[in-house]
Amino acid sequence: MINEKLEKAINEQINAEFYSEYFYLSMYAYFERINLQGFKNWMNVQLQEEHAHAMGLFNYLHERGGKVSLKQIEQPKTDWSSPKEVFEDVLKHEQLVTSKINALLDVAEEVNDRAAVSFLDWYLKEQVEEESNVGNVLKTLNLICDDKQCLFMIDKELATRTFNPPVIG
Ligand code: FEO
């Protein structure tokens, strides 16, 4: 049976991952509105990854004999002034998620649940990768892109991103 405090913390992280999915879905809608199909594709892949992260924790909690308690999902932002502003928000959001995963690992360590620590390590590694990917897109947007032609070039590149279901844990 999983420790109650850890169960609560995992349920909060499930909510945070579903919120992330929702947040990227809102960005997906923004890119649909401004007709940047490659950026929209990037968000589509991202939101599927977030869904997989949420379900990974959901399934793990069941596997450990815990109870999944779904909570209300907060309303995400719906408007941005530019693709650059979107990616600034994505980076800030992923940094926040990293701090949440760190706090979750602290709880797993505090209650001495080594199996959970080992499982959650995957999420920490994933965050390093996510922050790096997002940072690269943002760098390109910041350093290179100051005209529409460049934006379309990045849009083409982001259109090539594909979703590969992650193997979690
Ligand atoms: Fe599931 Fe992007 O953190």
Side-chain angles (χ1 to χ4, degrees), residues 50-75:
E50 298 306 345
H51 187 82
H53 296 166
M55 290 310 294
L57 291 162
F58 183 105
N59 292 330
Y60 183 70
L61 204 45
H62 278 153
E63 204 183 321
R64 295 290 309 275
K67 180 187 169 193
V68 169
S69 309
L70 295 179
K71 299 175 198 316
Q72 188 171 356
I73 300 170
E74 194 189 319
Q75 181 184 357

Side-chain angles (χ1 to χ4, degrees), residues 17 20 24 46 50 53 94 97 127 130:
E17 299 291 348
S20 299
Y24 295 130
Q46 190 68 17
E50 298 306 345
H53 296 166
E94 288 305 329
V97 173
Q127 282 311 119
E130 291 214 330

